[in-house]
Amino acid sequence: MTEVVPFFERYAEAFVAYDAGAIAACYLTPSLLVRDGQAEVLGTAEAVAESVEALLALHRAWDVQKVQPDGVEVLEDGPAHAVVRVDWQLGRPRTRLRWLFATTYTLVPAADGGDGWRIAVAVTHDAPF
């Protein structure tokens, strides 16, 4: 079985740290994002960075300081890709307020051999944003 949990743990840590560069490095270009039924092709590293900065701006506005994968399920484990559903939990400090949503990712191996995976497609389900 494909080991993807460490990848998503690092991805979550980058969000907690508001590290746009580390988040953007998790994406392949071009990549496809689908949020709220709207498709967005991120064709360049700059487009990925802009998308990441917009999402981090929402996190800042909501004072998100906790980001964690609450469940990781490998739906398909191919020789050169993985399809993974991640149930995410976002939270604020000193409160029980949480946002829960899921995202399905298509991952491909990092071309540079790096830390294993890059996000090629992300489809967000029932997201608060």
Side-chain angles (χ1 to χ4, degrees):
M1 183 164 123
T2 301
E3 185 55 45
V4 297
V5 172
F7 172 80
F8 287 108
E9 288 173 343
R10 286 189 302 277
Y11 187 58
E13 289 168 6
F15 272 97
V16 170
Y18 287 87
D19 186 342
I23 297 165
C26 292
Y27 286 83
L28 177 71
T29 53
S31 57
L32 174 66
L33 303 182
V34 180
R35 295 182 186 133
D36 197 27
Q38 300 297 312
E40 178 183 6
V41 175
L42 304 176
T44 65
E46 293 79 18
V48 171
E50 287 176 23
S51 180
V52 166
E53 286 294 348
L55 187 53
L56 286 177
L58 283 174
H59 280 220
R60 284 184 186 94
W62 295 343
D63 194 25
V64 171
Q65 294 186 21
K66 298 175 189 175
V67 177
Q68 65 185 52
D70 199 35
V72 177
E73 179 183 5
V74 177
L75 303 173
E76 185 176 329
D77 188 8
H81 75 284
V83 178
V84 182
R85 176 193 162 108
V86 179
D87 294 323
W88 290 104
Q89 189 175 136
L90 309 181
R92 288 182 173 164
R94 298 176 303 278
T95 180
R96 292 184 187 181
L97 180 62
R98 301 178 304 164
W99 293 279
L100 306 172
F101 65 96
T103 302
T104 302
Y105 299 90
T106 300
L107 305 176
V108 296
D112 63 4
D115 59 1
W117 297 106
R118 294 296 175 265
I119 298 167
V121 179
V123 180
T124 302
H125 316 275
D126 301 324
F129 42 82

